[in-house]
Amino acid sequence: MGERDAEMTGIFLSYRGMHHSYAPMFVHSVLRQRFGDGLVFEAGYVNQPGVHFGRSIGDWLDRCSVLVVFIDRYWLRRTDMLREESDWVRKEILYFLEHDKPIVPLLLDGARMPRKVKLPAELAELTRWIGLPLASANANADLLRLIGRLEQVSPDLVLAALHEPLPTNPTPAALLRPEYEVFPFRPRPEFDDLVAWVVAPDVPPFRLVTGPSGAGKTRLALRLCAELAASRPTIMLPRSATPAALARLSETATPFLVLIDDAESRPDTVLAAARALAEGGSAARVLLLTRSDDEWLRDLADDPDDRVSLLLSRIPTIRLAVPQAVDGDFAVAYAALADRLGRVERPTPDPPSTGSTLLGVQAAALAVLDSDGDVGTTPWSRIAARERCRWIETAAAWKLPELRPRSVTELVTAVTMFGAQHESEARRLLTRLRAFDGFRAMEVDVALALVRVMLPGPLALNPVQPQPVANEFIAEHLRGGDRLTGVLDVVSDDQARNAVLALGSCVAAFPDLVEAAGELLGAVHGRLLATAMTALPAVAEPGALVDAMTRAVPGMPTEDLVRLVDTLPLRSETLAGFAVALTRRAVEAQPAGDDADATTARLQRLLAIRLLAAGGPAAEAVRAAEAALRGFPEPGAERAEAYATLAQARDQEGSPEAAREAGEQAVAMFRQFASDDRTRAALATAMINQAHRDEAQAELAVEAYKILSELDVTKPNRYRSLFADAIDLLVARTRDEHLARRSLGLRRILAAARPDAYQPALAAALFNLGALLGSGAEATELLRESEWIFAELAAASPERYGMFLDQVHRRINAHD
């Protein structure tokens, strides 16, 4: 939080004569544990020698947002003192009444609220506040009610209490974390834009800053916190913060700035913030820091509440490039790190001869300062080697001599990959490691304490940081032949997601570990593989992880393959190749001669669909679709879907007559069996495709549009893409500019939430509207935006998007 956060919110404890009751000190201790040391004022604790008593109380009265008045029998007997101008209890209550701040009377051991006639007229309003009891016999329950009331009357306390300080004695590697701000901040042009956004009224409450590891996202956010500290509370939301805490954002009157780092790995927290802000009335701003702005927002933007969906579909994005080092950076980093490590007497060595990123230069400086001759081919490997030595030395000092180097690597890798939110998760994880096989419970307790000393933080188990050091530990462990498979059946879903994200970062840095990562992903019935399918959008560079996922498929049992096929997302270009490999393997694993089996038929249809989505062999897609038809011999929705798939496969094969015939069968059968939203949408899809194949059937486009218009009213998020398809078809028939603009608006929403799946359609919609407008500045702008998107797509997949880019170029040239 910023330096002046305490000036914005806090709890003031007002009492008369501490020597008459235990309660003020006891309550102060409990509230400090709940809300933090800097948010609770109790005069005996805060007013130390050398502090101006009156001035201190005045400052705290001004900054605190709620007053707790301790009322006991002595307080009630001495209400006459409240008439004295110099009485501090009188001043405290009067200040809160005059400033219309909430008051919580706390009635001790059977005391009752004072009657108005016993109070001075100016304090009579105290009696309108409902008192809470606090009795020694029921203290725990009474204190919970007090905490609940404080959070209710001053919701800002909930957010302010989330602040957690950095560990005061970090290891040398941890000093490279941006939170320690060892290297001086380098000004960036994006900074002023963010400051303006935070303070401006009527702007989107969410903003996203994205960039790869080392791009400076967190450091930029910390600088933003420092800049705004004088005007508003700023909170870097810790990992320990529950989504429920953010539910109170809608009730906060204070204009908070909340920063969520690694937001792609914390979807529940982001969604809780969006739901709170969708309620309206809050001046809060939420800054998301991510390594990827790809399809990780997909599920969030599909929220059934359209207000939430709208917030998360239109988040302005700032993309940061990794800052490169310049002359002098190594000397600055070396001096700053030497100072923090107490080694200022060392002369600055020569800087590295090769260019590097800013973070890389800092790592090189630390490796020189702290490696002490440790072997390693890169600065990061030397830093990791030194950290490993510290673990071994500390383990020996803690009487854990069995933790040899390989055991330490396993321990640190498991802690870093899986982590643990709770004590029970941490204990289950450690007891399943080879390193602790045969250890007694007391020794495991010592090991847990060791981990918390070496890796302090808000969670039960915190990862090694920064990420490049974590990658070194994970890589070392995988290269040793160990796979951590013994823990996979006890980890939670959150721990499995953490592991997938950590693996994704590691294999992106070390592609030679793809095979080893694939073994871990496929182990224990694909425990991590299933998680990877949903966690993949949060991986900044997913290519190597997808390769590892594909390597995990061949050795998996048939029942696991079928289960995993069913968990695949419907659309994902990143997963397209993997989806084909997994579904193909599941089909091949079915018993021979079981063409009529419904499971095999369903898998065959899915294989055909995925082959078409991935641009695979059309002939194979046709064979798979025909096999699906044989497996669904009876008329029904499943047979209709098989016909629709066959029609698309024939399209791709280049057999228009066969495609039209299969498409007609699909439409006719869907008409007969479409009885719910899903099958009605399938009917509309079949109609759209058939209208594309046969221009004479234009009425199908209109009918599909009507069906999807109805579905868009009830479930806009689910059918938005299909509705846009129907509009595009009508635009092609009618050249209606209004419809073209509506389609483009839908495509922008879809692409903002899931660029991986919907960027091609957005580029096409931009081109279509630009071509429809024909000339003018707007048409040029639309075509240029389409060109930019298709150029990015063609760079990654020239065989799929090169022809579209050529078409845009021709249109732009003709327009010019």
Side-chain angles (χ1 to χ4, degrees):
M1 296 173 66
E3 295 174 0
R4 285 176 52 94
D5 291 351
E7 299 181 18
M8 310 303 294
T9 188
I11 305 166
F12 193 106
L13 305 185
S14 172
Y15 55 88
R16 187 179 298 287
M18 181 180 290
H19 58 282
H20 291 287
S21 174
Y22 67 92
M25 289 186 64
F26 178 48
V27 171
H28 176 240
S29 177
V30 172
L31 295 185
R32 280 175 58 214
Q33 291 179 28
R34 172 64 183 89
F35 295 109
D37 194 23
L39 292 173
V40 187
F41 174 84
E42 185 271 300
Y45 180 82
V46 175
N47 288 326
Q48 301 298 323
V51 174
H52 189 286
F53 182 76
R55 189 179 301 143
S56 176
I57 287 183
D59 290 343
W60 276 92
L61 284 172
D62 184 50
R63 72 177 63 170
C64 284
S65 54
V66 60
L67 176 73
V68 177
V69 181
F70 291 78
I71 300 177
D72 56 10
R73 289 184 175 87
Y74 175 74
W75 193 99
L76 293 169
R77 288 198 303 269
R78 298 306 311 270
T79 53
D80 58 304
M81 296 178 67
L82 296 173
R83 303 180 188 280
E84 299 176 9
E85 295 287 339
S86 62
D87 181 59
W88 278 107
V89 174
R90 169 194 167 88
K91 291 179 181 180
E92 292 157 5
I93 297 172
L94 187 60
Y95 183 91
F96 271 74
L97 291 174
E98 289 177 343
H99 289 80
D100 199 26
K101 293 183 178 183
I103 299 174
V104 178
L106 196 60
L107 308 176
L108 305 182
D109 294 318
R112 296 173 180 267
M113 284 292 292
R115 291 180 296 160
K116 280 188 177 183
V117 296
K118 291 287 187 179
L119 300 175
E122 59 271 24
L123 300 185
E125 282 294 295
L126 173 65
T127 59
R128 71 184 174 90
W129 293 100
I130 299 174
L132 287 179
L134 176 60
S136 56
N138 199 35
N140 287 338
D142 289 346
L143 285 168
L144 287 175
R145 278 193 289 272
L146 171 62
I147 289 171
R149 174 70 65 81
L150 291 171
E151 292 179 347
Q152 181 182 27
V153 300
S154 184
D156 296 349
L157 286 169
V158 179
L159 296 179
L162 292 174
H163 172 67
E164 291 175 354
L166 282 169
T168 54
N169 295 306
T171 65
L175 289 175
L176 297 179
R177 292 173 54 185
E179 292 88 345
Y180 287 100
E181 302 183 272
V182 173
F183 194 89
F185 177 74
R186 176 169 293 171
R188 307 187 72 143
E190 300 86 359
F191 180 75
D192 291 340
D193 183 24
L194 287 174
V195 172
W197 162 71
V198 172
V199 301
D202 302 322
V203 295
F206 278 88
R207 199 73 184 266
L208 189 145
V209 175
T210 184
S213 180
K217 304 178 294 295
T218 305
R219 192 64 193 278
L220 180 66
L222 290 170
R223 184 66 178 180
L224 184 65
C225 291
E227 177 74 15
L228 298 169
S231 60
R232 68 189 61 218
T234 56
I235 299 164
M236 180 71 78
L237 202 67
R239 283 279 178 181
S240 57
T242 62
L246 284 179
R248 305 300 290 271
L249 265 177
S250 61
E251 304 170 23
T252 58
T254 303
F256 276 91
L257 170 63
V258 179
L259 301 113
I260 305 178
D261 206 355
D262 293 325
E264 68 270 34
S265 65
R266 305 164 73 180
D268 292 343
T269 301
V270 176
L271 186 58
R275 286 176 175 166
L277 293 180
E279 295 294 327
S282 173
R285 299 282 184 266
V286 180
L287 184 63
L288 307 177
L289 310 177
T290 76
R291 291 185 180 89
S292 168
D293 63 340
D294 212 336
E295 56 179 299
W296 68 272
L297 280 171
R298 174 193 60 195
D299 293 336
L300 305 190
D302 281 345
D303 193 88
D305 187 332
D306 280 347
R307 298 172 303 170
V308 175
S309 178
L310 187 63
L311 277 178
L312 295 176
S313 297
R314 299 181 177 179
I315 301 179
T317 299
I318 292 175
R319 291 178 173 82
L320 298 182
V322 176
Q324 299 300 302
V326 298
D327 290 344
D329 281 344
F330 180 84
V332 172
Y334 186 89
L337 287 164
D339 183 54
R340 292 295 295 267
L341 294 171
R343 302 180 186 177
V344 294
E345 74 283 354
R346 292 190 177 190
T348 303
D350 293 331
S353 58
T354 57
S356 182
T357 64
L358 190 55
L359 181 59
V361 161
Q362 295 174 64
L366 181 61
V368 173
L369 276 165
D370 191 52
S371 61
D372 289 336
D374 289 314
V375 296
T377 58
T378 68
W380 292 115
S381 62
R382 292 164 65 188
I383 292 169
R386 186 71 188 102
E387 291 293 301
R388 194 177 296 110
C389 289
R390 283 192 176 86
W391 278 81
I392 295 169
E393 292 163 0
T394 309
W398 284 42
K399 308 301 183 186
L400 288 171
E402 297 302 317
L403 283 184
R404 293 181 291 273
R406 185 163 179 164
S407 299
V408 167
T409 299
E410 180 191 26
L411 171 62
V412 179
T413 299
V415 168
T416 296
M417 283 186 62
F418 295 97
Q421 186 88 17
H422 309 292
E423 174 75 19
S424 58
E425 291 179 339
R427 191 169 296 279
R428 279 198 304 270
L429 182 69
L430 262 63
T431 54
R432 295 298 290 269
L433 297 177
R434 289 185 188 179
F436 296 100
D437 189 23
F439 272 45
R440 293 171 297 174
M442 182 179 67
E443 292 171 318
V444 174
D445 289 340
V446 174
L448 277 170
L450 169 67
V451 172
R452 287 163 187 159
V453 167
M454 298 298 291
L455 297 173
L459 305 180
L461 293 177
N462 300 279
V464 168
Q465 294 188 63
Q467 189 63 49
V469 180
N471 290 341
E472 293 286 344
F473 273 99
I474 297 170
E476 178 74 15
H477 185 73
L478 292 178
R479 289 194 179 106
D482 293 325
R483 298 293 178 263
L484 291 172
T485 54
V487 308
L488 294 182
D489 58 348
V490 299
V491 297
S492 67
D493 289 344
D494 284 341
Q495 288 176 298
R497 181 180 174 84
N498 291 341
V500 167
L501 299 180
L503 268 181
S505 176
C506 181
V507 294
F510 302 104
D512 61 298
L513 293 174
V514 164
E515 189 74 39
E519 292 178 20
L520 179 55
L521 288 167
V524 190
H525 306 289
R527 174 70 175 91
L528 296 185
L529 189 59
T531 303
M533 294 181 195
T534 56
L536 189 71
V539 177
E541 300 176 56
L545 185 61
V546 173
D547 288 346
M549 293 166 65
T550 305
R551 305 285 181 93
V553 170
M556 300 194 69
T558 301
E559 60 272 19
D560 292 336
L561 291 168
V562 174
R563 175 178 56 82
L564 290 169
V565 165
D566 289 336
T567 63
L568 277 166
L570 291 178
R571 283 195 182 190
S572 172
E573 289 207 0
T574 305
L575 278 175
F578 168 75
V580 168
L582 179 63
T583 312
R584 184 186 281 143
R585 180 72 185 93
V587 169
E588 293 169 350
Q590 296 303 302
D594 256 2
D595 277 349
D597 177 77
T599 298
T600 304
R602 182 174 59 82
L603 290 171
Q604 292 278 17
R605 187 178 65 82
L606 288 173
L607 175 58
I609 290 172
R610 285 163 182 162
L611 283 165
L612 295 170
E620 184 182 0
V622 169
R623 289 194 299 272
E626 289 177 337
L629 276 173
R630 292 195 296 272
F632 296 121
E634 299 299 324
E638 289 175 320
R639 186 168 176 80
E641 288 172 346
Y643 270 123
T645 305
L646 177 60
Q648 290 178 277
R650 291 296 190 186
D651 282 332
Q652 190 157 311
E653 183 188 45
S655 304
E657 289 300 325
R660 278 194 292 271
E661 182 180 343
E664 287 174 3
Q665 294 280 4
V667 171
M669 199 166 291
F670 270 130
R671 284 189 190 280
Q672 187 178 354
F673 293 99
S675 57
D676 55 23
D677 286 351
R678 188 187 70 81
T679 49
R680 290 181 68 218
L683 168 60
T685 303
M687 288 175 169
I688 291 170
N689 292 335
Q690 193 66 0
H692 275 297
R693 295 183 192 104
D694 189 351
E695 293 188 2
Q697 299 192 51
E699 72 284 355
L700 291 179
V702 176
E703 191 174 350
Y705 177 83
K706 290 179 180 177
I707 293 171
L708 292 167
S709 294
E710 295 171 4
L711 293 175
D712 183 64
V713 172
T714 57
K715 295 179 180 178
N717 293 322
R718 178 170 297 180
Y719 299 113
R720 182 173 286 149
S721 174
L722 190 54
F723 188 34
D725 290 342
I727 295 173
D728 285 344
L729 181 58
L730 284 180
V731 170
R733 295 282 194 275
T734 64
R735 300 191 60 77
D736 186 307
E737 180 184 329
H738 172 74
L739 286 175
R741 292 187 183 279
R742 186 174 186 185
S743 170
L744 179 57
L746 294 175
R747 299 296 188 191
R748 287 196 186 280
I749 293 172
L750 289 162
R754 288 191 59 199
D756 173 69
Y758 295 114
Q759 282 281 57
L762 171 60
L766 289 162
F767 175 81
N768 291 337
L769 180 56
L772 183 62
L773 293 176
S775 61
E778 184 183 6
T780 300
E781 183 178 346
L782 293 167
L783 292 172
R784 291 294 183 190
E785 187 178 354
S786 175
E787 178 188 35
W788 177 76
I789 296 173
F790 273 131
E792 281 199 335
L793 294 168
S797 183
E799 68 283 357
R800 296 189 65 184
Y801 298 110
M803 58 182 290
F804 296 106
L805 183 59
D806 291 341
Q807 188 177 358
V808 177
H809 284 157
R810 287 195 296 272
R811 171 63 67 171
I812 290 174
N813 291 336
H815 185 269
D816 291 343

